[in-house]
């Protein structure tokens, strides 16, 4: 698969940070092709050697989609899935469900890996993810950690610095619109019948009074 120029620079910058620092977070909006990019990074990392990688996701659909796309991009690299139904480590790249792998009895079966990829990496500071990260580093202190997300800011304001010491790249919507890869976004506001009701709600500054 041929990457667009901005996708290639994203892959190159992320790979450089992984090699030089050992961990990195890269940010890209919906529509940028995050899955294609991190699959390219993983494929390049394990191709032609005996390195092993794990790609984490928090939903079955994402695990299946990520695996299917990776197979279409890098068909020569063997894959496996570790979820509630299938628990296999025989692939060079394993696509794992966080909720399943984070259980103690499952973590004990995990082999040493060289690269841990966290899809939707804003979840990375959650306890389930931390157990997996700690186990990966316990088995291989040189294991690289790569995160990718469209939304690095968490609503609970917990920073991602515990996992990622740097950000390799950030693609913006403006970049993609300017390059013709995304159509300009348009906002539509729909009245669902509550506008009149909301006029009686007290405001504090520009925000509604939550009380």
């Amino acid at each position: 698969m041929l990457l667009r120029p901005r996708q290639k620079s994203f892959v190159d910058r992320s790979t450089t940070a992984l090699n030089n620092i050992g961990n990195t977070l890269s940010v890209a909006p919906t529509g940028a092709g995050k899955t294609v990019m991190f699959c390219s990074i993983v494929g390049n990392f394990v191709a032609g050697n005996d390195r092993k990688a794990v790609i984490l996701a928090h939903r079955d659909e994402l695990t299946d989609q990520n695996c299917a796309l990776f197979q279409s991009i890098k068909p020569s690299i063997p894959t496996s899935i570790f979820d509630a139904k299938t628990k296999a480590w025989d692939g060079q790249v394993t696509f794992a469900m966080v909720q399943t792998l984070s259980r103690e009895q499952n973590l004990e079966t995990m082999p040493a890996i060289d690269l841990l990829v966290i899809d939707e990496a804003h979840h990375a500071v959650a306890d389930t993810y931390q157990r997996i990260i700690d186990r990966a580093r316990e088995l291989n202190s040189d294991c690289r950690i790569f995160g990718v997300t469209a939304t690095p800011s968490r609503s609970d304001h917990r920073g991602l610095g515990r996992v990622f010491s740097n950000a390799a790249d950030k693609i913006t919507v403006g970049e993609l619109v300017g390059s013709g890869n995304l159509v300009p976004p348009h906002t539509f506001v729909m009245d669902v019948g509550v506008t009149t009701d909301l006029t009686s709600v007290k405001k504090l500054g520009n925000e509604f009074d939550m009380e």
Side-chain angles (χ1 to χ4, degrees):
M1 178 177 289
L2 294 177
L3 299 175
R4 296 177 180 139
R6 188 60 181 91
Q7 290 176 324
K8 186 177 185 307
S9 65
F10 183 97
V11 169
D12 291 343
R13 291 170 183 172
S14 301
T15 300
T16 297
L18 283 174
N19 290 333
N20 293 342
I21 304 172
N23 73 81
T24 197
L25 175 71
S26 291
V27 180
T30 300
K34 290 187 297 296
T35 308
V36 169
M37 292 187 288
F38 76 64
C39 284
S40 296
I41 292 168
V42 174
N44 294 340
F45 183 81
V46 304
N49 55 60
D50 59 357
R51 291 171 174 171
K52 291 182 71 71
V54 169
I55 298 177
L56 296 179
H58 67 291
R59 295 203 309 269
D60 284 328
E61 314 89 82
L62 290 177
T63 301
D64 294 338
Q65 290 171 14
N66 291 346
C67 185
L69 182 57
F70 184 87
Q71 290 172 337
S72 70
I73 296 174
K74 303 289 183 178
S76 63
I77 298 175
T79 61
S80 55
I81 288 181
F82 197 98
D83 60 15
K85 295 180 181 179
T86 306
K87 295 178 175 60
W89 292 111
D90 53 321
Q92 191 175 6
V93 178
T94 299
F95 294 81
M97 267 282 290
V98 170
Q99 294 88 334
T100 301
L101 181 55
S102 62
R103 295 170 184 162
E104 184 176 353
Q105 65 271 27
N106 292 331
L107 278 177
E108 290 177 355
T109 71
M110 187 171 77
I113 60 174
D114 303 284
L115 174 63
L116 179 66
V117 177
I118 304 174
D119 190 10
E120 306 293 348
H122 49 280
H123 295 299
V125 293
D127 291 341
T128 49
Y129 286 80
Q130 287 297 307
R131 287 197 291 271
I132 297 171
I133 293 169
D134 291 344
R135 179 59 173 164
R137 285 174 168 162
E138 177 185 346
L139 293 169
N140 178 10
S141 59
D142 292 326
C143 179
R144 293 169 172 83
I145 312 294
F146 176 53
V148 61
T149 182
T151 53
S153 300
R154 291 171 55 95
S155 59
D156 61 4
H157 305 297
R158 293 177 66 186
L160 301 180
R162 178 179 175 182
V163 180
F164 309 106
S165 64
N166 68 100
D169 200 357
K170 180 179 180 180
I171 299 176
T172 66
V173 172
E175 283 183 81
L176 299 180
V177 172
S179 63
N181 297 132
L182 282 183
V183 298
H186 298 280
T187 301
F188 298 89
V189 179
M190 180 182 295
D191 181 6
V192 294
V194 298
T195 301
T196 302
D197 295 336
L198 290 175
T199 58
S200 61
V201 178
K202 181 182 177 182
K203 284 189 175 182
L204 297 175
N206 292 324
E207 302 292 335
F208 287 113
D209 184 347
M210 297 304 292
E211 296 297 325

